[in-house]
Amino acid sequence: MVEKSMSFPRSTASIPPLAGGPVSTVLYGITAVRLEGSQVSEVMMGMIDPSLEHWDLRPAPTRLVEVVDRLVEGDTIVTLFPTERGTLQMGPQVKVDVLPEGTETLAPAEERPGRRLTDLPRF
């Protein structure tokens, strides 16, 4: 397996709190997703060192319910997209979204143009 290093532009090195919430001291990164239909069912997620230079816990398969639990606890979760250089670039933060039928899923914390969860690699 190829080791991916993390590379974050300095402008994204500081993770702002969501909607005025508390500043999270725990940062997780999602590097890949598993979909059921068009909805995320599982992710590859790891804990990122606060320095943004390495993993505290390497990405592992994580069920959606566990990701939702982390978000409810106030942790920050971001998407991490592979670059052509073999590094990872930070994408948008994610939040819990509830679909009309009551199913929980993940969505970008801010609606902006750019990459989405479904643009991440599959596993």
Side-chain angles (χ1 to χ4, degrees), residues 21-98:
V23 175
S24 174
T25 58
V26 181
L27 178 63
Y28 290 93
I30 295 175
T31 60
V33 295
R34 178 169 288 148
L35 301 177
E36 286 183 15
S38 63
Q39 300 304 316
V40 175
S41 62
E42 192 173 21
V43 301
M44 289 292 285
M45 184 173 81
M47 185 184 303
I48 303 169
D49 177 79
S51 70
L52 301 177
E53 294 179 4
H54 61 86
W55 295 103
D56 273 348
L57 293 172
R58 305 239 1 111
T62 307
R63 298 176 312 164
L64 180 63
V65 66
E66 295 173 59
V67 178
V68 169
D69 286 347
R70 297 282 31 98
L71 289 165
V72 169
E73 290 294 321
D75 295 333
T76 299
I77 302 176
V78 298
T79 52
L80 296 171
F81 291 91
T83 68
E84 292 177 3
R85 296 177 298 155
T87 61
L88 295 170
Q89 180 178 34
M90 193 179 306
Q93 292 183 23
V94 297
K95 67 173 184 168
V96 179
D97 191 23
V98 181

Side-chain angles (χ1 to χ4, degrees), residues 3-4 10 20 35 58 81 123:
E3 182 83 16
K4 292 205 183 249
R10 286 289 162 207
L35 301 177
R58 305 239 1 111
F81 291 91
F123 73 102

